[in-house]
């Protein structure tokens, strides 16, 4: 029961909400609140401040959080070893990912994997490259999809080159061009896909000395496509996210090489759980989301 209280606390901090933490752990909201209250009473400290906008750490909670997270991670590793001994009859794989991979690759991978290992559960955390990298390093996830190269302390598996394409409204003056001139990026309002670290296109801008008129920045691919469809500007998006899109937009290759390298990273393959190592064998099914597997 004590480990459940620790997990309740960590989830409440992660989601900044008792309600979302309860949903994640399959508890009632009152159950999560009670477990955290029990910890506070037992330790004679205040861990979280409650308000209408959610919950946040107190100074005492901030000091104790790393130790509680470490206990939860060790508990997960214990469960992983037990799962290995049981021969993949049960288990949990925690995956860090970004939206295009979650939308277009993971359905095919997980569908095929579940056919052979139906009792394995999954926890998907969506974030940007920097967040996912940190989650792997901290042990919050077992593995994660990232843009390569990644942190030197991580092992990575190269998967694909993902082309970067210019997206524009259907009535754009250059909608009929064969390849979009790199210098013309500066002639129109630009929507930048970015959060935290450097965007996929930042290196291209630096390499070719272009400085687009950035009018809008977000990490939401679909928000960018909607803005472009409305004629508010142009953008550059990865080809992976441009599959099966509901927007009336035009996509064009640049007249210079432009792509990102996508891979899967983990701390150490040798020390990864059996379920994670088996999962790696199914990465080949990433382009089979719509196929009859």
């Amino acid at each position: 029961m004590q480990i459940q209280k620790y997990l309740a606390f960590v989830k409440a901090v992660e989601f900044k909400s008792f309600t979302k933490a309860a949903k994640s752990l399959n508890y009632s909201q009152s159950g999560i609140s009670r477990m955290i209250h029990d910890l506070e009473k037992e330790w004679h400290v205040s861990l979280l401040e409650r308000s209408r906008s959610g919950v946040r750490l107190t100074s005492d909670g901030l000091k104790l959080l790393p130790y509680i997270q470490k206990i939860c991670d060790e508990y997960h590793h214990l469960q992983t070893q037990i799962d290995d001994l049981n021969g993949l009859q049960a288990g949990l794989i925690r995956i860090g990912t970004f939206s295009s991979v979650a939308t277009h690759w993971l359905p095919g991978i997980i569908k095929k994997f579940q056919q052979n290992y139906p009792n394995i559960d999954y926890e998907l955390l969506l974030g940007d490259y920097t967040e996912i990298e940190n989650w792997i390093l901290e042990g919050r996830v077992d593995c994660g999809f990232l843009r390569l190269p990644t942190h030197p302390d991580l092992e990575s598996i190269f998967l694909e080159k993902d082309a970067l394409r210019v997206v524009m409204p259907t009535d754009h003056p250059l909608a009929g061009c064969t390849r979009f001139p790199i210098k013309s990026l500066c002639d129109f309002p630009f929507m930048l896909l970015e959060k935290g670290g450097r965007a996929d296109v930042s290196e291209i801008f630096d390499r070719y000395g272009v400085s687009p008129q950035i009018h809008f920045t977000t990490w939401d691919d679909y928000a960018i496509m909607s803005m472009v469809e409305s004629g508010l500007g142009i953008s550059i998006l990865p080809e992976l996210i441009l599959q099966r899109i509901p927007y009336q937009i035009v996509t064009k290759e640049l007249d210079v090489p432009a792509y990102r390298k996508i891979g899967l990273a983990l701390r150490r393959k040798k020390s990864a759980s059996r379920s994670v190592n088996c999962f790696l064998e199914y990465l080949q099914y990433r382009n089979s989301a719509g196929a009859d597997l």
Side-chain angles (χ1 to χ4, degrees):
M1 186 58 191
Q2 196 72 4
I3 193 66
Q4 294 303 318
K5 295 177 184 178
Y6 298 160
L7 290 169
F9 172 64
V10 170
K11 287 293 183 181
V13 172
E14 179 183 334
F15 292 113
K16 299 181 176 62
S17 164
F18 284 165
T19 302
K20 293 180 180 179
K23 184 176 180 181
S24 173
L25 295 172
N26 293 318
Y27 279 97
S28 65
Q29 187 270 345
S30 60
I32 295 292
S33 180
R34 185 174 59 253
M35 284 191 284
I36 293 174
H37 175 73
D38 288 346
L39 285 178
E40 292 177 321
K41 184 177 180 181
E42 178 183 344
W43 294 342
H44 304 288
V45 296
S46 174
L47 296 171
L48 296 172
E49 293 179 355
R50 288 84 164 169
S51 69
R52 290 185 178 180
S53 60
V55 297
R56 64 178 184 177
L57 284 164
T58 64
S59 57
D60 289 338
L62 185 61
K63 290 178 182 177
L64 294 175
L65 177 61
Y67 301 99
I68 299 173
Q69 285 178 320
K70 187 175 181 179
I71 292 172
C72 291
D73 287 340
E74 290 302 320
Y75 175 74
H76 172 74
H77 294 321
L78 171 63
Q79 292 297 312
T80 296
Q81 294 304 313
I82 294 171
D83 295 338
D84 285 350
L85 293 174
N86 287 328
L88 289 186
Q89 294 305 308
L92 173 68
I93 302 176
R94 304 170 302 165
I95 305 168
T97 183
F98 44 93
S99 59
S100 53
V101 166
T103 302
H104 299 294
W105 280 6
L106 280 173
I109 296 169
I110 292 176
K111 182 176 181 180
K112 188 67 176 180
F113 190 77
Q114 279 192 327
Q115 288 183 357
N116 296 321
Y117 305 106
N119 297 319
I120 299 295
D121 294 324
Y122 308 86
E123 180 182 354
L124 303 183
L125 268 67
L126 265 70
D128 61 35
Y129 304 133
T130 302
E131 288 173 326
I132 296 168
E133 189 176 85
N134 288 333
W135 290 337
I136 302 170
L137 290 167
E138 295 166 0
R140 179 64 187 83
V141 296
D142 301 305
C143 58
F145 292 90
L146 289 171
R147 180 182 63 186
L148 301 180
T150 186
H151 195 283
D153 289 341
L154 298 178
E155 293 185 15
S156 62
I157 302 168
F158 169 73
L159 295 175
E160 285 187 20
K161 281 185 179 180
D162 187 23
L164 301 176
R165 295 187 176 275
V166 179
V167 293
M168 66 192 89
T170 55
D171 60 353
H172 192 274
L174 294 178
C177 70
T178 303
R179 292 177 182 268
F180 194 96
I182 184 74
K183 296 297 183 182
S184 296
L185 291 174
C186 302
D187 298 335
F188 309 95
F190 193 86
M191 312 289 171
L192 181 64
L193 183 69
E194 179 183 54
K195 177 184 175 185
R198 285 169 59 82
D200 286 317
V201 297
S202 297
E203 294 176 6
I204 298 173
F205 296 160
D206 293 344
R207 187 182 309 143
Y208 295 100
V210 296
S211 300
Q213 311 166 37
I214 299 174
H215 285 210
F216 182 79
T217 302
T218 181
W219 186 242
D220 188 329
D221 318 84
Y222 295 100
I224 290 224
M225 285 185 269
S226 180
M227 294 282 186
V228 170
E229 182 183 48
S230 298
L232 297 176
I234 64 174
S235 187
I236 293 179
L237 294 176
E239 190 172 37
L240 185 59
I241 200 61
L242 295 172
Q243 301 176 24
R244 305 195 304 274
I245 56 173
Y247 301 98
Q248 297 299 311
I249 56 178
V250 174
T251 68
K252 295 291 180 178
E253 293 182 24
L254 279 165
D255 63 351
V256 296
Y259 58 86
R260 63 176 176 176
K261 294 180 179 179
I262 303 178
L264 186 88
L266 63 169
R267 281 184 291 182
R268 286 175 298 278
K269 187 176 179 182
K270 286 185 178 180
S271 61
S273 69
R274 183 179 175 188
S275 56
V276 170
N277 276 304
C278 282
F279 179 80
L280 300 182
E281 298 175 8
Y282 287 76
L283 293 173
Q284 61 182 302
Y285 299 103
R286 58 188 175 273
N287 295 314
S288 305
D292 183 6
L293 300 177

